Structures are given as C-alpha cells and as structure tokens.
Amino acid sequence: MTHVVPPKVAWPGTWDPLGVTADDNGVNVAIWAEGAQRVEFCLIGDDGTEDRVELAESTFHVFHGYIPGIKVGARYGFRVHGPWDPSNGLRFNPDKLLLDPYARAIDGQIELGPAIYGHVGLDDLARSDVNSAGSVPLSVVVRDDFDWEGDHPLRTKWSDTVIYEMHVKGFTKQHPDIPEQLRGTYAGLAQPAAIEHLQRLGVSAVELLPVHHFIDESFLLERGFTNYWGYNSIGYFAPHGAYSAAGTRGGQVREFKEMVKALHDAGIEVILDVVYNHTAEGNQLGPTLSFRGIANRPYYKLGADDARYYADYTGCGNTLDASSPKVLQLIMDSLRYWVEEMHVDGF
C-alpha cells in the first residue's frame, strides 16, 4: 500500500458518527475520550512507520477531525494524552497505541511483554513509558460497499426455529469436504458442504460463539495456551480476524458478509453470541489496549477508591459500565451495526 503522509493537524471534521468513516477523499475521525487533554490519530505504515495527526477539535468530549488521503485498508491507532492518576480512575498514557472502539476491522494480536501494559510491573500506580507500537493490534479503515443483492432478514417463526450453536473454527476445521485452505474460517462455513450438513439436520439458524474480535489473555500466553472460545472481546464492531481466509486488512468484513449471504440463501439465520459485560483488558494489571487508555473511569465500573476494578461482576477482571451513556451508546451502536451492515438476524 502506498504510504500517505497526512497533515500534522486534521481538518475540523465532524463529531458524529463515532469511529473512522471513509469517503472518496479521506476519513472522518471521531473518538469519545472524556477527561483527555489531547488525542492523536496515528497512521501506521506497512513498514511500521507512524505518522501522528492532532485531532484539534473537541465537541462533547469527542475529539474529531477530517484527514485527507487516507485509504481503505490503512492501519491506525490512537494516542490519548491526559493525567495519569489511577487513584482517581485516570489511566491516560500516550505511550500506548490504542484500538478504536468503533474499528470495523482489526489486524494482529498482542505480543506479550512490558510494552502492552500502561503500568510498570506489579505496581499498577506507576506509569510505563514503553512505546507499545509493534506489540498491539491495529485498527483498519473499512468502507462498506458490499452488494447484498437483495438479501434481507429471514424472520423465521419461533415455532419453526431450530438453532445450532457452533464455533466457526471448530465446526469447519476438520470437515473433510471443505477445502483445506478454508477450514476454520467464515468462508469455510459458507461452503456448500457445511450448508448442506446443516440443512440435512433441519437447522433454521446458526448461533455463532463469539466472533467479535478477541485476544488471548496474558495468563494463557504465559503458559503457552490460547483462548479457543472467544469470550474476551476487544473489538465490538470487528469480525475476529483469525477466522478469515481473506486476510485481516478488511478482508474479514467482506468474508463475513459473504458467509451471512450464503447462509441466508439457504434459509438459515445467523445469530451471534455476544460479550458486552467485560473486555479483554482485564483488571488493573491487564494490558492497555483501548478503553482503559481512552476513558477508563466512564468505561469501567471501578472500586470505591477508583484505582482497582473491584466491581468485577463478571469474574473476568473488569465490568463495562453500561449505566454510562456513551458505553450504552457503544453497545447499541454495535448491535445496530451487526444488524444493518452485517445482516445478522439476532443476538
């Protein structure tokens, strides 16, 4: 991909919609970061170079700007500047390259090491100054131009509904009639062999175990394991990249849509198992990948002293605070996106 050198300061742009919205000439960028002092949009080149663009405009805690020349497939992140004061719930750290909460596609996984943490060692009150670029996943610019060719919700009656719960990778990985290069992927599930099997069973809907982009927990990586089930979401708008045969620079989005379309053509609805109660950032000792570094205090339920995530109702280290209006908006925007843009039938 040709390297584009963006301006140092973005044009004003608009504060709505949130996320990165591409058009023919560039992208509009909008990120809600309550309590932040500055936000930089960071364009990451294929060679790892990083160009930072100041989002100088702020409206209702949304930092926004328009950046010309940015193309579909470009990788990016954010650096959010603000006070480091964990005792008051503030964990801003511009040395950490952060995922866009509204990213439509995510490229890469974490590389275990000190760089992914906003704090130093086991003392989560001390700020790390290690740059996390190269050790964390990146957001990808995506533009919706898929031709659904009249695809629409099937709306199967409940009395006629037969749901088959499945793991995308597990279901397709060892199927002998699915081409080997497509096993374990969305494209594999769209194959005639997979669909015919479901039809023979009389299935009217597949319920997919988590396909929101997720990462492996640090404690699993330290033991040489990975997260198979996917209940560790970090990207609520992005199909999990590892289930894509088409690559992770936006190809996973088109592939997911093609899968949905193929299943719909066969009379099979698509339902998602979703995880909005917690994120992959874990407790206060977990990695700083997105929400924690953007607006920790509003995104998460904190303990009485605001330094720890004592309100861990999920048992997974943190709890998203759905009583916060912008967090509730994130959840509702995500649900709407999967229905309107990805054509899923339910959750």
mmCIF file of all heavy atoms in Angstrom, residues 21-67:
data_model
loop_
_atom_site.group_PDB
_atom_site.id
_atom_site.type_symbol
_atom_site.label_atom_id
_atom_site.label_comp_id
_atom_site.label_asym_id
_atom_site.label_seq_id
_atom_site.Cartn_x
_atom_site.Cartn_y
_atom_site.Cartn_z
ATOM 1 N N THR A 21 -14.742 7.046 9.445
ATOM 2 C CA THR A 21 -15.675 6.917 8.322
ATOM 3 C C THR A 21 -14.982 7.369 7.049
ATOM 4 O O THR A 21 -14.570 8.523 6.935
ATOM 5 C CB THR A 21 -16.940 7.767 8.565
ATOM 6 O OG1 THR A 21 -17.511 7.418 9.839
ATOM 7 C CG2 THR A 21 -17.954 7.530 7.459
ATOM 8 N N ALA A 22 -14.847 6.453 6.099
ATOM 9 C CA ALA A 22 -14.110 6.741 4.868
ATOM 10 C C ALA A 22 -15.035 7.237 3.760
ATOM 11 O O ALA A 22 -16.178 6.803 3.640
ATOM 12 C CB ALA A 22 -13.379 5.485 4.397
ATOM 13 N N ASP A 23 -14.511 8.160 2.956
ATOM 14 C CA ASP A 23 -15.165 8.551 1.709
ATOM 15 C C ASP A 23 -14.120 8.520 0.600
ATOM 16 O O ASP A 23 -13.030 7.978 0.772
ATOM 17 C CB ASP A 23 -15.860 9.918 1.829
ATOM 18 C CG ASP A 23 -14.900 11.052 2.182
ATOM 19 O OD1 ASP A 23 -13.694 10.954 1.849
ATOM 20 O OD2 ASP A 23 -15.343 12.048 2.786
ATOM 21 N N ASP A 24 -14.435 9.103 -0.550
ATOM 22 C CA ASP A 24 -13.519 9.016 -1.690
ATOM 23 C C ASP A 24 -12.219 9.778 -1.477
ATOM 24 O O ASP A 24 -11.215 9.501 -2.148
ATOM 25 C CB ASP A 24 -14.204 9.560 -2.955
ATOM 26 C CG ASP A 24 -15.327 8.660 -3.428
ATOM 27 O OD1 ASP A 24 -15.324 7.470 -3.056
ATOM 28 O OD2 ASP A 24 -16.216 9.145 -4.160
ATOM 29 N N ASN A 25 -12.202 10.721 -0.543
ATOM 30 C CA ASN A 25 -11.049 11.617 -0.410
ATOM 31 C C ASN A 25 -10.262 11.453 0.881
ATOM 32 O O ASN A 25 -9.179 12.025 1.010
ATOM 33 C CB ASN A 25 -11.519 13.068 -0.527
ATOM 34 C CG ASN A 25 -12.202 13.346 -1.850
ATOM 35 O OD1 ASN A 25 -11.658 13.047 -2.910
ATOM 36 N ND2 ASN A 25 -13.408 13.899 -1.800
ATOM 37 N N GLY A 26 -10.794 10.710 1.830
ATOM 38 C CA GLY A 26 -10.113 10.573 3.106
ATOM 39 C C GLY A 26 -11.017 9.969 4.154
ATOM 40 O O GLY A 26 -11.949 9.215 3.832
ATOM 41 N N VAL A 27 -10.773 10.330 5.418
ATOM 42 C CA VAL A 27 -11.568 9.765 6.513
ATOM 43 C C VAL A 27 -11.955 10.847 7.508
ATOM 44 O O VAL A 27 -11.193 11.785 7.771
ATOM 45 C CB VAL A 27 -10.804 8.650 7.266
ATOM 46 C CG1 VAL A 27 -10.555 7.455 6.363
ATOM 47 C CG2 VAL A 27 -9.488 9.154 7.850
ATOM 48 N N ASN A 28 -13.162 10.708 8.052
ATOM 49 C CA ASN A 28 -13.552 11.495 9.217
ATOM 50 C C ASN A 28 -13.282 10.648 10.451
ATOM 51 O O ASN A 28 -13.600 9.455 10.483
ATOM 52 C CB ASN A 28 -15.033 11.878 9.173
ATOM 53 C CG ASN A 28 -15.403 12.864 10.274
ATOM 54 O OD1 ASN A 28 -15.178 14.062 10.126
ATOM 55 N ND2 ASN A 28 -15.952 12.373 11.375
ATOM 56 N N VAL A 29 -12.659 11.251 11.452
ATOM 57 C CA VAL A 29 -12.272 10.539 12.666
ATOM 58 C C VAL A 29 -12.967 11.175 13.859
ATOM 59 O O VAL A 29 -12.950 12.405 14.008
ATOM 60 C CB VAL A 29 -10.742 10.587 12.877
ATOM 61 C CG1 VAL A 29 -10.356 9.808 14.126
ATOM 62 C CG2 VAL A 29 -10.012 10.048 11.653
ATOM 63 N N ALA A 30 -13.592 10.340 14.706
ATOM 64 C CA ALA A 30 -14.251 10.849 15.906
ATOM 65 C C ALA A 30 -14.112 9.818 17.018
ATOM 66 O O ALA A 30 -14.474 8.652 16.837
ATOM 67 C CB ALA A 30 -15.727 11.138 15.627
ATOM 68 N N ILE A 31 -13.568 10.244 18.142
ATOM 69 C CA ILE A 31 -13.364 9.329 19.270
ATOM 70 C C ILE A 31 -13.752 10.029 20.566
ATOM 71 O O ILE A 31 -13.287 11.137 20.862
ATOM 72 C CB ILE A 31 -11.900 8.830 19.323
ATOM 73 C CG1 ILE A 31 -11.685 7.930 20.549
ATOM 74 C CG2 ILE A 31 -10.907 9.972 19.292
ATOM 75 C CD1 ILE A 31 -10.325 7.238 20.570
ATOM 76 N N TRP A 32 -14.622 9.398 21.328
ATOM 77 C CA TRP A 32 -15.043 9.938 22.621
ATOM 78 C C TRP A 32 -13.979 9.600 23.658
ATOM 79 O O TRP A 32 -13.653 8.443 23.875
ATOM 80 C CB TRP A 32 -16.379 9.337 23.020
ATOM 81 C CG TRP A 32 -16.832 9.713 24.396
ATOM 82 C CD1 TRP A 32 -17.239 10.948 24.817
ATOM 83 C CD2 TRP A 32 -16.915 8.859 25.537
ATOM 84 N NE1 TRP A 32 -17.576 10.904 26.150
ATOM 85 C CE2 TRP A 32 -17.387 9.638 26.612
ATOM 86 C CE3 TRP A 32 -16.649 7.506 25.746
ATOM 87 C CZ2 TRP A 32 -17.595 9.100 27.886
ATOM 88 C CZ3 TRP A 32 -16.845 6.972 27.011
ATOM 89 C CH2 TRP A 32 -17.317 7.769 28.072
ATOM 90 N N ALA A 33 -13.414 10.628 24.276
ATOM 91 C CA ALA A 33 -12.339 10.435 25.254
ATOM 92 C C ALA A 33 -12.520 11.439 26.387
ATOM 93 O O ALA A 33 -11.745 12.393 26.535
ATOM 94 C CB ALA A 33 -10.973 10.596 24.596
ATOM 95 N N GLU A 34 -13.533 11.210 27.203
ATOM 96 C CA GLU A 34 -13.836 12.122 28.307
ATOM 97 C C GLU A 34 -12.676 12.182 29.294
ATOM 98 O O GLU A 34 -12.162 11.151 29.732
ATOM 99 C CB GLU A 34 -15.103 11.663 29.030
ATOM 100 C CG GLU A 34 -15.540 12.576 30.164
ATOM 101 C CD GLU A 34 -16.846 12.136 30.791
ATOM 102 O OE1 GLU A 34 -17.689 11.580 30.058
ATOM 103 O OE2 GLU A 34 -17.015 12.347 32.007
ATOM 104 N N GLY A 35 -12.239 13.382 29.619
ATOM 105 C CA GLY A 35 -11.137 13.586 30.551
ATOM 106 C C GLY A 35 -9.785 13.726 29.888
ATOM 107 O O GLY A 35 -8.811 14.111 30.540
ATOM 108 N N ALA A 36 -9.706 13.422 28.586
ATOM 109 C CA ALA A 36 -8.430 13.539 27.876
ATOM 110 C C ALA A 36 -8.098 14.998 27.585
ATOM 111 O O ALA A 36 -8.983 15.849 27.489
ATOM 112 C CB ALA A 36 -8.485 12.750 26.573
ATOM 113 N N GLN A 37 -6.812 15.270 27.427
ATOM 114 C CA GLN A 37 -6.344 16.617 27.094
ATOM 115 C C GLN A 37 -6.025 16.768 25.617
ATOM 116 O O GLN A 37 -6.238 17.823 25.028
ATOM 117 C CB GLN A 37 -5.107 16.943 27.936
ATOM 118 C CG GLN A 37 -5.392 16.984 29.431
ATOM 119 C CD GLN A 37 -4.134 16.976 30.279
ATOM 120 O OE1 GLN A 37 -3.041 16.617 29.796
ATOM 121 N NE2 GLN A 37 -4.262 17.343 31.542
ATOM 122 N N ARG A 38 -5.505 15.710 25.011
ATOM 123 C CA ARG A 38 -5.174 15.705 23.583
ATOM 124 C C ARG A 38 -5.371 14.295 23.038
ATOM 125 O O ARG A 38 -5.240 13.314 23.768
ATOM 126 C CB ARG A 38 -3.705 16.085 23.343
ATOM 127 C CG ARG A 38 -3.289 17.497 23.634
ATOM 128 C CD ARG A 38 -1.773 17.632 23.439
ATOM 129 N NE ARG A 38 -1.349 17.204 22.106
ATOM 130 C CZ ARG A 38 -0.209 16.548 21.854
ATOM 131 N NH1 ARG A 38 0.610 16.214 22.851
ATOM 132 N NH2 ARG A 38 0.125 16.216 20.621
ATOM 133 N N VAL A 39 -5.689 14.224 21.733
ATOM 134 C CA VAL A 39 -5.791 12.928 21.068
ATOM 135 C C VAL A 39 -5.094 13.026 19.718
ATOM 136 O O VAL A 39 -5.292 13.983 18.969
ATOM 137 C CB VAL A 39 -7.256 12.488 20.873
ATOM 138 C CG1 VAL A 39 -7.320 11.205 20.050
ATOM 139 C CG2 VAL A 39 -7.951 12.287 22.214
ATOM 140 N N GLU A 40 -4.273 12.008 19.423
ATOM 141 C CA GLU A 40 -3.603 11.929 18.132
ATOM 142 C C GLU A 40 -4.079 10.690 17.374
ATOM 143 O O GLU A 40 -4.147 9.595 17.944
ATOM 144 C CB GLU A 40 -2.085 11.848 18.314
ATOM 145 C CG GLU A 40 -1.468 13.086 18.919
ATOM 146 C CD GLU A 40 -0.002 12.871 19.259
ATOM 147 O OE1 GLU A 40 0.287 11.952 20.061
ATOM 148 O OE2 GLU A 40 0.850 13.604 18.717
ATOM 149 N N PHE A 41 -4.424 10.892 16.119
ATOM 150 C CA PHE A 41 -4.695 9.789 15.199
ATOM 151 C C PHE A 41 -3.357 9.358 14.629
ATOM 152 O O PHE A 41 -2.592 10.175 14.113
ATOM 153 C CB PHE A 41 -5.633 10.258 14.084
ATOM 154 C CG PHE A 41 -5.867 9.252 12.986
ATOM 155 C CD1 PHE A 41 -6.881 8.319 13.088
ATOM 156 C CD2 PHE A 41 -5.081 9.260 11.843
ATOM 157 C CE1 PHE A 41 -7.102 7.396 12.069
ATOM 158 C CE2 PHE A 41 -5.291 8.352 10.817
ATOM 159 C CZ PHE A 41 -6.308 7.411 10.931
ATOM 160 N N CYS A 42 -3.066 8.049 14.701
ATOM 161 C CA CYS A 42 -1.746 7.552 14.299
ATOM 162 C C CYS A 42 -1.883 6.598 13.121
ATOM 163 O O CYS A 42 -2.470 5.518 13.250
ATOM 164 C CB CYS A 42 -1.075 6.843 15.472
ATOM 165 S SG CYS A 42 -0.924 7.865 16.960
ATOM 166 N N LEU A 43 -1.359 7.014 11.975
ATOM 167 C CA LEU A 43 -1.365 6.198 10.771
ATOM 168 C C LEU A 43 -0.113 5.323 10.772
ATOM 169 O O LEU A 43 1.004 5.836 10.856
ATOM 170 C CB LEU A 43 -1.406 7.082 9.530
ATOM 171 C CG LEU A 43 -1.457 6.372 8.176
ATOM 172 C CD1 LEU A 43 -2.778 5.624 8.014
ATOM 173 C CD2 LEU A 43 -1.255 7.376 7.049
ATOM 174 N N ILE A 44 -0.306 4.001 10.676
ATOM 175 C CA ILE A 44 0.808 3.062 10.757
ATOM 176 C C ILE A 44 1.071 2.476 9.371
ATOM 177 O O ILE A 44 0.199 1.824 8.780
ATOM 178 C CB ILE A 44 0.516 1.925 11.749
ATOM 179 C CG1 ILE A 44 0.051 2.497 13.103
ATOM 180 C CG2 ILE A 44 1.749 1.050 11.915
ATOM 181 C CD1 ILE A 44 1.052 3.389 13.787
ATOM 182 N N GLY A 45 2.258 2.704 8.844
ATOM 183 C CA GLY A 45 2.626 2.199 7.531
ATOM 184 C C GLY A 45 2.961 0.722 7.555
ATOM 185 O O GLY A 45 3.166 0.127 8.617
ATOM 186 N N ASP A 46 3.046 0.128 6.378
ATOM 187 C CA ASP A 46 3.378 -1.291 6.280
ATOM 188 C C ASP A 46 4.763 -1.591 6.845
ATOM 189 O O ASP A 46 5.041 -2.715 7.282
ATOM 190 C CB ASP A 46 3.315 -1.751 4.824
ATOM 191 C CG ASP A 46 1.893 -1.755 4.277
ATOM 192 O OD1 ASP A 46 0.952 -1.763 5.097
ATOM 193 O OD2 ASP A 46 1.736 -1.754 3.049
ATOM 194 N N ASP A 47 5.639 -0.585 6.837
ATOM 195 C CA ASP A 47 6.997 -0.757 7.363
ATOM 196 C C ASP A 47 7.097 -0.382 8.836
ATOM 197 O O ASP A 47 8.200 -0.328 9.396
ATOM 198 C CB ASP A 47 7.988 0.067 6.540
ATOM 199 C CG ASP A 47 7.653 1.555 6.541
ATOM 200 O OD1 ASP A 47 6.605 1.940 7.118
ATOM 201 O OD2 ASP A 47 8.428 2.337 5.950
ATOM 202 N N GLY A 48 5.954 -0.106 9.455
ATOM 203 C CA GLY A 48 5.943 0.237 10.867
ATOM 204 C C GLY A 48 6.100 1.713 11.170
ATOM 205 O O GLY A 48 6.063 2.115 12.332
ATOM 206 N N THR A 49 6.270 2.531 10.122
ATOM 207 C CA THR A 49 6.375 3.973 10.352
ATOM 208 C C THR A 49 5.063 4.503 10.921
ATOM 209 O O THR A 49 3.986 3.967 10.643
ATOM 210 C CB THR A 49 6.698 4.711 9.049
ATOM 211 O OG1 THR A 49 5.687 4.404 8.074
ATOM 212 C CG2 THR A 49 8.063 4.321 8.525
ATOM 213 N N GLU A 50 5.156 5.548 11.705
ATOM 214 C CA GLU A 50 3.984 6.116 12.358
ATOM 215 C C GLU A 50 3.913 7.617 12.099
ATOM 216 O O GLU A 50 4.852 8.358 12.390
ATOM 217 C CB GLU A 50 4.028 5.845 13.864
ATOM 218 C CG GLU A 50 2.859 6.425 14.638
ATOM 219 C CD GLU A 50 2.909 6.106 16.118
ATOM 220 O OE1 GLU A 50 3.648 5.165 16.503
ATOM 221 O OE2 GLU A 50 2.221 6.795 16.898
ATOM 222 N N ASP A 51 2.792 8.057 11.527
ATOM 223 C CA ASP A 51 2.522 9.481 11.321
ATOM 224 C C ASP A 51 1.382 9.889 12.244
ATOM 225 O O ASP A 51 0.305 9.280 12.209
ATOM 226 C CB ASP A 51 2.139 9.750 9.857
ATOM 227 C CG ASP A 51 3.290 9.492 8.905
ATOM 228 O OD1 ASP A 51 4.319 10.166 9.051
ATOM 229 O OD2 ASP A 51 3.161 8.617 8.030
ATOM 230 N N ARG A 52 1.623 10.894 13.063
ATOM 231 C CA ARG A 52 0.622 11.326 14.045
ATOM 232 C C ARG A 52 -0.072 12.601 13.587
ATOM 233 O O ARG A 52 0.576 13.551 13.142
ATOM 234 C CB ARG A 52 1.280 11.546 15.404
ATOM 235 C CG ARG A 52 2.002 10.312 15.928
ATOM 236 C CD ARG A 52 2.570 10.538 17.324
ATOM 237 N NE ARG A 52 3.369 9.398 17.763
ATOM 238 C CZ ARG A 52 3.926 9.287 18.962
ATOM 239 N NH1 ARG A 52 3.762 10.277 19.853
ATOM 240 N NH2 ARG A 52 4.632 8.213 19.277
ATOM 241 N N VAL A 53 -1.392 12.593 13.709
ATOM 242 C CA VAL A 53 -2.209 13.732 13.305
ATOM 243 C C VAL A 53 -3.012 14.203 14.512
ATOM 244 O O VAL A 53 -3.764 13.427 15.118
ATOM 245 C CB VAL A 53 -3.169 13.365 12.158
ATOM 246 C CG1 VAL A 53 -3.958 14.591 11.708
ATOM 247 C CG2 VAL A 53 -2.406 12.750 10.996
ATOM 248 N N GLU A 54 -2.865 15.460 14.863
ATOM 249 C CA GLU A 54 -3.583 16.029 16.006
ATOM 250 C C GLU A 54 -5.057 16.213 15.669
ATOM 251 O O GLU A 54 -5.413 16.786 14.632
ATOM 252 C CB GLU A 54 -2.976 17.392 16.355
ATOM 253 C CG GLU A 54 -3.579 18.057 17.573
ATOM 254 C CD GLU A 54 -2.891 17.646 18.860
ATOM 255 O OE1 GLU A 54 -1.777 17.094 18.776
ATOM 256 O OE2 GLU A 54 -3.459 17.893 19.932
ATOM 257 N N LEU A 55 -5.932 15.700 16.540
ATOM 258 C CA LEU A 55 -7.364 15.964 16.425
ATOM 259 C C LEU A 55 -7.654 17.171 17.307
ATOM 260 O O LEU A 55 -7.939 17.055 18.502
ATOM 261 C CB LEU A 55 -8.177 14.742 16.872
ATOM 262 C CG LEU A 55 -7.941 13.451 16.086
ATOM 263 C CD1 LEU A 55 -8.782 12.315 16.666
ATOM 264 C CD2 LEU A 55 -8.246 13.642 14.611
ATOM 265 N N ALA A 56 -7.561 18.334 16.697
ATOM 266 C CA ALA A 56 -7.575 19.584 17.470
ATOM 267 C C ALA A 56 -8.969 20.008 17.909
ATOM 268 O O ALA A 56 -9.106 20.838 18.812
ATOM 269 C CB ALA A 56 -6.934 20.705 16.642
ATOM 270 N N GLU A 57 -9.999 19.463 17.274
ATOM 271 C CA GLU A 57 -11.370 19.841 17.613
ATOM 272 C C GLU A 57 -11.946 18.880 18.650
ATOM 273 O O GLU A 57 -11.702 17.673 18.601
ATOM 274 C CB GLU A 57 -12.252 19.818 16.362
ATOM 275 C CG GLU A 57 -11.793 20.745 15.253
ATOM 276 C CD GLU A 57 -11.976 22.205 15.602
ATOM 277 O OE1 GLU A 57 -12.932 22.526 16.354
ATOM 278 O OE2 GLU A 57 -11.183 23.031 15.144
ATOM 279 N N SER A 58 -12.726 19.432 19.588
ATOM 280 C CA SER A 58 -13.379 18.609 20.592
ATOM 281 C C SER A 58 -14.795 19.121 20.825
ATOM 282 O O SER A 58 -14.995 20.309 21.106
ATOM 283 C CB SER A 58 -12.594 18.630 21.903
ATOM 284 O OG SER A 58 -13.253 17.879 22.906
ATOM 285 N N THR A 59 -15.778 18.230 20.708
ATOM 286 C CA THR A 59 -17.185 18.569 20.901
ATOM 287 C C THR A 59 -17.825 17.506 21.780
ATOM 288 O O THR A 59 -17.825 16.323 21.434
ATOM 289 C CB THR A 59 -17.930 18.618 19.548
ATOM 290 O OG1 THR A 59 -17.239 19.495 18.655
ATOM 291 C CG2 THR A 59 -19.361 19.085 19.735
ATOM 292 N N PHE A 60 -18.348 17.904 22.930
ATOM 293 C CA PHE A 60 -18.978 16.963 23.859
ATOM 294 C C PHE A 60 -18.037 15.797 24.208
ATOM 295 O O PHE A 60 -18.445 14.636 24.217
ATOM 296 C CB PHE A 60 -20.296 16.424 23.283
ATOM 297 C CG PHE A 60 -21.272 17.482 22.865
ATOM 298 C CD1 PHE A 60 -21.795 17.487 21.581
ATOM 299 C CD2 PHE A 60 -21.666 18.479 23.748
ATOM 300 C CE1 PHE A 60 -22.694 18.464 21.178
ATOM 301 C CE2 PHE A 60 -22.565 19.454 23.360
ATOM 302 C CZ PHE A 60 -23.077 19.446 22.069
ATOM 303 N N HIS A 61 -16.768 16.115 24.460
ATOM 304 C CA HIS A 61 -15.730 15.135 24.801
ATOM 305 C C HIS A 61 -15.358 14.232 23.627
ATOM 306 O O HIS A 61 -14.662 13.236 23.814
ATOM 307 C CB HIS A 61 -16.142 14.256 25.990
ATOM 308 C CG HIS A 61 -16.521 15.020 27.223
ATOM 309 N ND1 HIS A 61 -15.623 15.796 27.917
ATOM 310 C CD2 HIS A 61 -17.710 15.126 27.876
ATOM 311 C CE1 HIS A 61 -16.231 16.337 28.955
ATOM 312 N NE2 HIS A 61 -17.500 15.964 28.944
ATOM 313 N N VAL A 62 -15.829 14.556 22.430
ATOM 314 C CA VAL A 62 -15.466 13.800 21.236
ATOM 315 C C VAL A 62 -14.391 14.580 20.488
ATOM 316 O O VAL A 62 -14.620 15.717 20.062
ATOM 317 C CB VAL A 62 -16.676 13.567 20.314
ATOM 318 C CG1 VAL A 62 -16.233 12.854 19.030
ATOM 319 C CG2 VAL A 62 -17.741 12.746 21.036
ATOM 320 N N PHE A 63 -13.217 13.978 20.339
ATOM 321 C CA PHE A 63 -12.142 14.588 19.565
ATOM 322 C C PHE A 63 -12.336 14.144 18.110
ATOM 323 O O PHE A 63 -12.519 12.958 17.829
ATOM 324 C CB PHE A 63 -10.785 14.136 20.096
ATOM 325 C CG PHE A 63 -10.454 14.698 21.449
ATOM 326 C CD1 PHE A 63 -11.009 14.161 22.600
ATOM 327 C CD2 PHE A 63 -9.593 15.797 21.572
ATOM 328 C CE1 PHE A 63 -10.716 14.691 23.854
ATOM 329 C CE2 PHE A 63 -9.288 16.329 22.823
ATOM 330 C CZ PHE A 63 -9.855 15.775 23.966
ATOM 331 N N HIS A 64 -12.284 15.119 17.203
ATOM 332 C CA HIS A 64 -12.640 14.780 15.832
ATOM 333 C C HIS A 64 -11.829 15.573 14.820
ATOM 334 O O HIS A 64 -11.232 16.612 15.133
ATOM 335 C CB HIS A 64 -14.138 14.994 15.592
ATOM 336 C CG HIS A 64 -14.636 16.377 15.915
ATOM 337 N ND1 HIS A 64 -14.627 17.408 14.997
ATOM 338 C CD2 HIS A 64 -15.160 16.903 17.053
ATOM 339 C CE1 HIS A 64 -15.138 18.494 15.552
ATOM 340 N NE2 HIS A 64 -15.461 18.221 16.805
ATOM 341 N N GLY A 65 -11.816 15.069 13.594
ATOM 342 C CA GLY A 65 -11.122 15.744 12.514
ATOM 343 C C GLY A 65 -11.279 14.973 11.214
ATOM 344 O O GLY A 65 -11.610 13.782 11.215
ATOM 345 N N TYR A 66 -11.044 15.662 10.109
ATOM 346 C CA TYR A 66 -11.055 15.021 8.792
ATOM 347 C C TYR A 66 -9.619 14.999 8.280
ATOM 348 O O TYR A 66 -8.907 16.017 8.332
ATOM 349 C CB TYR A 66 -11.951 15.772 7.812
ATOM 350 C CG TYR A 66 -12.063 15.084 6.466
ATOM 351 C CD1 TYR A 66 -13.050 14.132 6.249
ATOM 352 C CD2 TYR A 66 -11.157 15.349 5.440
ATOM 353 C CE1 TYR A 66 -13.141 13.467 5.036
ATOM 354 C CE2 TYR A 66 -11.236 14.683 4.225
ATOM 355 C CZ TYR A 66 -12.238 13.743 4.024
ATOM 356 O OH TYR A 66 -12.316 13.088 2.824
ATOM 357 N N ILE A 67 -9.198 13.828 7.778
ATOM 358 C CA ILE A 67 -7.822 13.661 7.313
ATOM 359 C C ILE A 67 -7.852 13.211 5.851
ATOM 360 O O ILE A 67 -8.306 12.103 5.547
ATOM 361 C CB ILE A 67 -7.076 12.628 8.169
ATOM 362 C CG1 ILE A 67 -7.179 13.010 9.655
ATOM 363 C CG2 ILE A 67 -5.619 12.532 7.749
ATOM 364 C CD1 ILE A 67 -6.679 11.951 10.600
#
